[in-house]
Amino acid sequence: MRKQEKAQREGKNRSRPRLTRRRFIQTTGAAGVGAATSGVLRPGTAAAETVDYPVKPIVALDELSPGTTVPFTYPDDRSPALLLRMTAGVVGGVGPDASIVAFSSLCTHKGCPVSYKPEHRLLVCPCHWSTFDPEKAGSLVIGQASQPLPRIELRIESNQVVATGVAGLIYGRHTNLV
Ligand code: FES
């Protein structure tokens, strides 16, 4: 038996190129997948046609006592979100004590609206009980979901809490700005 035939039978065909990480990224564009935080590229448009997120005032800073939640929509009216003022500073928080955060309300599993459970300080989905931690950037604690909740980027402007972007893809969308 010739050497090449023998190698093929033994599954040792070295003529097939190995799929390296670099090669995978080159062929699939996987490195380009990620959350846009200052603007998004609409499908089918050139880089010069990126669209910026709206800057949207949500609530006055002095109306937010610790434990307050404020429902709102962002970046458009079809996208429910929830702003929370926690009792202490948290990951990604804004405001005087870095305790204010906001997330898309749509569960990353199948899009049911999550709600805040103050007794556990967690965001819980009523459909299949995925649970997210608003004190740790919306990370998944347990459940069917596999992604954290998209985080609404905030800043303080003239005593207002203002939404300025979204980190993560909102459930059910190909792009956050549609
Ligand atoms: S839709 Fe939220 S856990 Fe399934």
Side-chain angles (χ1 to χ4, degrees):
M1 184 185 304
R2 287 173 32 209
K3 266 188 181 175
Q4 189 177 2
E5 288 173 347
K6 188 177 177 191
Q8 281 175 343
R9 282 194 182 174
E10 293 172 357
K12 294 178 182 174
N13 186 352
R14 302 215 186 272
S15 63
R16 190 187 327 168
R18 284 184 53 225
L19 183 60
T20 62
R21 182 173 184 276
R22 176 179 300 222
R23 177 93 179 121
F24 175 78
I25 289 169
Q26 284 171 342
T27 55
T28 65
V33 177
T37 57
S38 59
V40 297
L41 180 63
R42 286 191 199 278
T45 63
E49 298 174 82
T50 55
V51 185
D52 286 332
Y53 281 101
V55 174
K56 180 177 179 179
I58 307 302
V59 64
L61 192 54
D62 50 20
E63 291 176 24
L64 277 179
S65 54
T68 306
T69 59
V70 179
F72 66 106
T73 57
Y74 189 83
D76 54 52
D77 291 345
R78 294 181 296 110
S79 179
L82 192 62
L83 181 143
L84 307 99
R85 181 167 184 185
M86 311 308 290
T87 53
V90 297
V91 175
V94 300
D97 53 2
S99 64
I100 302 168
V101 286
F103 301 93
S104 166
S105 300
L106 300 181
C107 177
T108 53
H109 179 222
K110 292 193 173 179
C112 290
V114 299
S115 58
Y116 182 60
K117 303 295 178 195
E119 65 274 28
H120 302 300
R121 306 205 315 268
L122 294 168
L123 291 156
V124 179
C125 176
C127 289
H128 314 100
W129 308 111
S130 285
T131 301
F132 304 89
D133 191 342
E135 298 180 357
K136 294 180 180 162
S139 60
L140 179 68
V141 176
I142 193 167
Q144 300 285 320
S146 59
Q147 300 291 319
L149 283 177
R151 187 171 56 81
I152 310 297
E153 296 180 336
L154 304 171
R155 68 171 180 243
I156 307 298
E157 229 175 71
S158 307
N159 199 45
Q160 290 279 319
V161 184
V162 174
T164 61
V166 181
L169 185 63
I170 296 167
Y171 178 82
R173 297 187 175 210
H174 297 295
T175 176
N176 287 340
L177 296 174
V178 292

